[in-house]
Amino acid sequence: MLPERSLTAIRCAFLDFVDDPFYVAESESVRYFADGLLVLEEGKVKALGDYQQLKDQYSEVAIVAHPDRLIMPGFVDTHIHFPQTEMIAAYGEQLLEWLNQYAFPTERKFKDKAYAQKIAAFFLEELLRNGTTTALVFAAVYPESVDAFFEEASRRNLRMIAGKVMMDRNAPDFLSDTAETSYQDSKRLIEKWHKHGRLLYAVTPRFAITSTDEQLRLAGKLLEEFPDVYLHTHLSENMDEVAWVKELFPRCTGYLDVYDQAGLVGDRSVFAHGVQLTDQEFQRLSEANAAIAFCPTSNLFLGSGLFRIEQAKCVEHPVKLGLGTDVGGGTSFSMLKTAHEAYKVAQLRRQTLSPFKALFLATLGGARALSLGDTIGNFDVGKEADFIVLDVRSTPLMAVRNPVANAISLADLADQVFSLVIMGDDRAICATYIAGELAYEKSSSPDF
Ligand code: GUN
Ligand code: ZN
């Protein structure tokens, strides 16, 4: 048989999820090969299995080995703001004051396309350095900022979703559009970027407070005209915000109803936060098959509150759920650190979040929240090969915590990846592959 030249293969330990551990036994949702082989063809998964079982079938294929490492699907960040990169860790305020004092003045800079391009490039490199291969991203109000972001994402062949912020009231003049211009600009950007390569567009009204009824109505019109674009916004993050929404929309029964009345609650809608949602609102999100981006580092940093994970993931009214960093309200680009804070939020509510559930949310759960469960999120045959090489011994302390690099049993693996969630960060990411190609490699990886 002739060698299959377009195939490449990687030998390593592999961990991914084939089902949702919130609803089926963890042993059925986790797929793990302590010594596995991943075969790639034209940027997609051709096969994944036990090395000994697959090696003869692919004996002609050159194999790259990553001993003592763990390969997982790339992380999926379901909510982040690229123009807030430089103002991460802004001191002392809660949401509404923080927006006025820090976020809005920073976002003003993104009218300058060259500046937006520079920060977009940095932002994407930072995602890759942290093992994030797909994100749902807020740009700024300026269409130039969206062009800059998508140009940089396209150059790196990344599967990214983003959109122009729409806001026509309760924002500084320099950051405001109008209902009509936001509709026209968004429409033009959808036509230009949606499904351009791996890129997808999200209609992005900032939140109910900064949009008039008319702007929300026109956002709904865009969703009707382009049924496979996303809706991305904030929802019920902070108590003062919820109270203000009630004043601004007295005819609505609650915050989610504002979006519902504009036709913005559907199966491609992703709502960031949802900390203050009522049980009825969770039920409505479940009924509409909409998703929530749980952003623990942001919710803790801005003092917004403790998200009710168990309510979102309840069996009776399940809501699609992913993790979001929400940089710059969030405090890290690392999805490992984000999962760590999600664990602590659960603890504070006397709930728990197992390491496999946390890593599911960071990978396949996030992919499903973004309606990309058939495209990315695990190593099923035919999926896009975006994945990361992890080192569970990436600091001296983690090496002491994990004396053996590759777990054999599922129990040992659970213990090992729990330490990765609690102690890991960008240092644990040795390499990031995009569509089967190396896109980031850590410069030195000391062995302890
Ligand atoms: N609500 C409206 N805008 C924002 C934002 O930029 N960050 C966060 N965390 N919440 C918001
Ligand atoms: Zn946000």
Side-chain angles (χ1 to χ4, degrees):
M1 197 173 83
L2 285 171
E4 295 177 86
R5 286 186 205 283
S6 63
L7 298 188
T8 56
I10 297 183
R11 182 180 182 183
C12 191
F14 291 88
L15 165 63
D16 70 348
F17 296 89
V18 294
D19 211 334
D20 187 334
F22 287 89
Y23 304 120
V24 305
E26 295 204 331
S27 56
E28 283 169 37
S29 67
V30 174
R31 174 164 54 184
Y32 179 63
F33 298 101
D35 181 15
L37 190 71
L38 175 68
V39 185
L40 307 169
E41 184 175 40
E42 290 175 0
K44 299 212 166 131
V45 175
K46 167 98 172 160
L48 172 71
D50 180 73
Y51 173 76
Q52 296 300 337
Q53 286 183 8
L54 282 187
K55 70 177 189 332
D56 292 341
Q57 199 180 333
Y58 295 101
S59 58
E60 306 288 328
V61 178
I63 295 174
V64 175
H66 290 287
D68 298 337
R69 300 288 184 255
L70 174 67
I71 292 186
M72 288 189 62
F75 294 134
V76 178
D77 185 340
T78 58
H79 178 68
I80 186 166
H81 301 248
F82 102 80
Q84 294 178 8
T85 302
E86 67 201 78
M87 43 115 340
I88 192 168
Y91 174 75
E93 302 294 350
Q94 296 219 343
L95 176 65
L96 299 175
E97 301 75 28
W98 174 90
L99 280 172
N100 281 318
Q101 198 168 321
Y102 300 113
F104 290 163
T106 306
E107 291 186 19
R108 180 179 204 170
K109 297 185 189 175
F110 288 75
K111 173 130 191 61
D112 176 351
K113 168 102 187 270
Y115 188 74
Q117 200 111 26
K118 189 176 100 179
I119 300 294
F122 175 85
F123 171 90
L124 292 169
E125 294 302 321
E126 192 64 11
L127 287 181
L128 295 177
R129 222 170 57 72
N130 281 279
T132 297
T133 50
T134 287
L136 173 57
V137 181
F138 262 65
V141 75
Y142 315 109
E144 296 87 335
S145 70
V146 181
D147 284 331
F149 178 81
F150 278 138
E151 283 168 21
E152 290 299 320
S154 174
R155 186 165 297 149
R156 292 167 178 77
N157 191 28
L158 299 173
R159 186 160 280 290
M160 288 283 154
I161 314 170
K164 177 203 120 62
V165 172
M166 304 167 78
M167 54 180 167
D168 67 344
R169 66 165 160 173
N170 295 321
D173 285 349
F174 58 78
L175 221 53
S176 298
D177 52 20
T178 68
E180 186 56 28
T181 61
S182 72
Y183 169 81
Q184 294 297 349
D185 286 343
S186 300
K187 188 171 178 146
R188 194 177 46 75
L189 289 165
I190 292 168
E191 284 161 350
K192 182 168 177 188
W193 292 112
H194 187 57
K195 297 189 180 162
H196 175 95
R198 304 180 76 197
L199 306 175
L200 297 162
Y201 194 87
V203 173
T204 310
R206 182 171 211 119
F207 63 160
I209 287 173
T210 47
S211 286
T212 57
D213 276 315
E214 177 61 3
Q215 185 168 61
L216 294 175
R217 189 186 69 77
L218 289 174
K221 188 168 175 222
L222 286 168
L223 299 185
E224 267 178 27
E225 290 170 351
F226 303 95
D228 59 0
V229 301
Y230 293 85
L231 182 283
H232 183 200
T233 188
H234 297 91
L235 170 67
S236 293
E237 177 177 2
N238 158 294
M239 300 222 304
D240 294 344
E241 171 205 14
V242 175
W244 195 3
V245 170
K246 281 194 178 132
E247 275 175 38
L248 290 172
F249 298 91
R251 283 195 302 277
C252 294
T253 58
Y255 198 156
L256 183 61
D257 191 45
V258 174
Y259 296 141
D260 224 348
Q261 290 199 15
L264 302 183
V265 184
D267 65 356
R268 298 178 83 82
S269 304
V270 183
F271 298 100
H273 306 298
V275 173
Q276 313 292 342
L277 288 172
T278 64
D279 290 356
Q280 290 72 25
E281 288 175 316
F282 272 109
Q283 283 184 31
R284 172 65 192 129
L285 289 171
S286 173
E287 190 184 288
N289 202 21
I292 297 176
F294 168 29
C295 306
T297 76
S298 170
N299 296 162
L300 297 170
F301 180 71
L302 293 175
S304 303
L306 303 176
F307 180 71
R308 296 194 286 154
I309 308 170
E310 77 287 359
Q311 181 67 42
K313 296 298 291 185
C314 75
V315 178
E316 300 77 28
H317 307 288
V319 179
K320 291 185 295 188
L321 186 67
L323 292 177
T325 60
D326 193 29
V327 166
T331 51
S332 173
F333 276 77
S334 169
M335 290 294 283
L336 291 173
K337 283 194 167 190
T338 304
H340 171 176
E341 297 300 313
Y343 176 80
K344 288 180 181 166
V345 167
Q347 284 281 53
L348 285 167
R349 302 201 58 262
R350 299 196 152 253
Q351 299 285 321
T352 191
L353 182 66
S354 76
F356 290 138
K357 286 177 178 160
L359 290 174
F360 168 80
L361 292 178
T363 55
L364 185 61
R368 288 180 175 176
L370 302 183
S371 304
L372 289 173
D374 293 335
T375 312
I376 54 166
N378 68 9
F379 296 114
D380 281 354
V381 173
K383 283 203 180 174
E384 296 171 353
D386 294 345
F387 59 89
I388 56 179
V389 183
L390 293 144
D391 179 6
V392 299
R393 307 179 79 240
S394 60
T395 68
L397 184 57
M398 287 174 78
V400 168
R401 172 66 170 75
N402 294 306
V404 178
N406 288 146
I408 301 299
S409 72
L410 210 56
D412 284 350
L413 179 68
D415 178 61
Q416 188 181 70
V417 295
F418 184 62
S419 77
L420 181 69
V421 165
I422 299 305
M423 302 169 77
D425 54 26
D426 53 309
R427 290 169 294 181
I429 313 298
C430 303
T432 302
Y433 285 76
I434 297 297
E437 303 285 334
L438 183 68
Y440 161 75
E441 192 169 26
K442 202 168 103 176
S443 48
S444 68
S445 209
D447 280 322
F448 301 108

